[in-house]
Amino acid sequence: VSFSQQTYASRGEKHAHPVIKQLFATMERKKSNLSLAADVGTKAELLEIANKVGPYICVLKTHVDIISDFDRDLVDQLQALAAKHDFLIFEDRKFADIGNTVKLQYGGGIYRIADWAHITNCHVIPGEGIIHGLAEVGMPKGRGLLLLAEMSSKGMLATGTYTDKNVEMAVNNDFVVGFIGSRRFTEERDLITMTPGVGLHASDDALGQQYRTPEQIITENGSDIIIVGRGIYGPGKDPVAEAQRYREAGWNAYLNRINL
Ligand code: BMP
């Protein structure tokens, strides 16, 4: 049976990676396959939205380098919210340099991402060394890595053999737990897919983002988690009401899939 037709709970029970085990258990407990892309500019705004929307999500996705007043206390408070509301933290760093450099970027600098992010991601444009460099830092801490096998934006270049190479590298590296992309990529091991570019209606923004619906992504394409940003906190929106709507839409799309 394809992984897409199994429940999150049963996949979690069998999973070899501790982060994904924890993730599937969280998803099942909260009946949520929703990740919030919290692209806000200040510490106060990030903490506020994480606290409000936290009850409805399985993963909080951050871009810490857009926070103007980032500090150590933000990390402490985010970790407290992750414990309080039962979600994981995914720093969407998109590493893209040689193994030795990404090792320094992941473990050090101001952000020290490996200390607090359960999950991060990278492009494999430099070759497999990027995964090995990140793994040296992240594996001992029990972290997981996603590869950007595809992107959601118009004209993106991650297609064909480049996407296939991502899948090959993922299957062969235990530190890799899955992909950013639009669909399920392999049955060789239970590598998850998280999908950005999700809206309740298919549409675009002015800078190339393309939105597809939870049904397209979860039910039809077999992805595991929807990532939603502006659909939840965009102008004029009530983030709690929208998060509830997306959670329900994502979960129903999953129920429809496993009942197929
Ligand atoms: P929004 O739903 O507001 O369009 O936000 C999408 C989020 O997902 C952003 O944080 C963006 O950086 C991220 N993202 C994306 O949109 N497409 C990709 O292919 C990969 C991403 O990480």
Side-chain angles (χ1 to χ4, degrees):
V1 187
S2 161
F3 288 112
S4 319
Q5 276 153 292
Q6 301 174 33
T7 64
Y8 294 136
S10 69
R11 290 166 64 188
E13 280 159 24
K14 287 176 294 191
H15 212 283
H17 198 290
V19 161
I20 302 303
K21 240 186 171 19
Q22 185 188 347
L23 175 60
F24 279 133
T26 295
M27 291 167 74
E28 195 67 44
R29 263 194 303 275
K30 298 178 81 175
K31 304 216 177 314
S32 175
N33 52 16
L34 172 64
S35 170
L36 171 70
D39 297 343
V40 293
T42 64
K43 183 177 159 181
E45 287 170 289
L46 178 55
L47 290 169
E48 189 193 347
I49 196 153
N51 192 33
K52 275 191 182 158
V53 169
Y56 313 105
I57 61 174
C58 58
V59 175
L60 177 72
K61 187 178 84 60
T62 56
H63 280 301
V64 275
D65 57 359
I66 65 181
I67 304 292
S68 56
D69 53 350
F70 174 90
D71 61 10
R72 210 45 228 180
D73 176 63
L74 171 60
V75 169
D76 293 343
Q77 293 205 53
L78 278 182
Q79 285 181 313
L81 289 174
K84 173 178 164 196
H85 295 303
D86 187 15
F87 60 73
L88 279 76
I89 305 174
F90 163 25
E91 167 54 26
D92 188 3
R93 173 62 178 76
K94 298 188 179 69
F95 292 101
D97 214 319
I98 59 167
N100 187 63
T101 301
V102 295
K103 204 172 122 177
L104 301 170
Q105 292 173 317
Y106 183 30
I110 293 173
Y111 302 119
R112 308 192 67 87
I113 294 163
D115 285 351
W116 51 268
H118 300 93
I119 299 169
T120 191
N121 57 355
C122 78
H123 292 290
V124 297
I125 200 92
E128 224 160 349
I130 189 169
I131 301 174
H132 299 148
L134 292 169
E136 279 190 22
V137 178
M139 278 275 236
K141 295 179 189 285
R143 307 307 189 194
L145 180 69
L146 303 175
L147 305 184
L148 283 128
E150 290 174 339
M151 291 193 73
S152 59
S153 41
K154 198 167 176 227
M156 64 93 185
L157 305 176
T159 60
T161 48
Y162 181 78
T163 301
D164 295 344
K165 273 285 177 193
N166 275 263
V167 177
E168 205 179 291
M169 288 186 207
V171 167
N172 293 322
N173 282 276
D174 288 344
F175 183 49
V176 180
V177 295
F179 307 97
I180 296 296
S182 66
R183 56 192 166 88
R184 175 143 203 108
F185 289 98
T186 178
E187 294 290 333
E188 281 198 45
R189 58 191 188 92
D190 192 359
L191 293 155
I192 66 159
T193 300
M194 295 184 64
T195 306
V198 174
L200 290 172
H201 309 282
S203 63
D204 300 347
D205 77 1
L207 298 172
Q209 177 69 295
Q210 307 176 113
Y211 293 107
R212 274 161 302 180
T213 64
E215 291 71 31
Q216 287 173 293
I217 295 301
I218 300 287
T219 315
E220 292 165 31
N221 295 359
S223 172
D224 298 302
I225 292 176
I226 53 171
I227 299 174
V228 183
R230 288 165 287 175
I232 289 176
Y233 57 76
K237 304 220 173 199
D238 169 356
V240 169
E242 294 300 335
Q244 288 172 329
R245 277 173 79 190
Y246 275 99
R247 168 177 164 251
E248 198 178 313
W251 196 257
N252 286 336
Y254 156 72
L255 292 178
N256 288 338
R257 175 174 94 197
I258 56 174
N259 290 329
L260 281 179

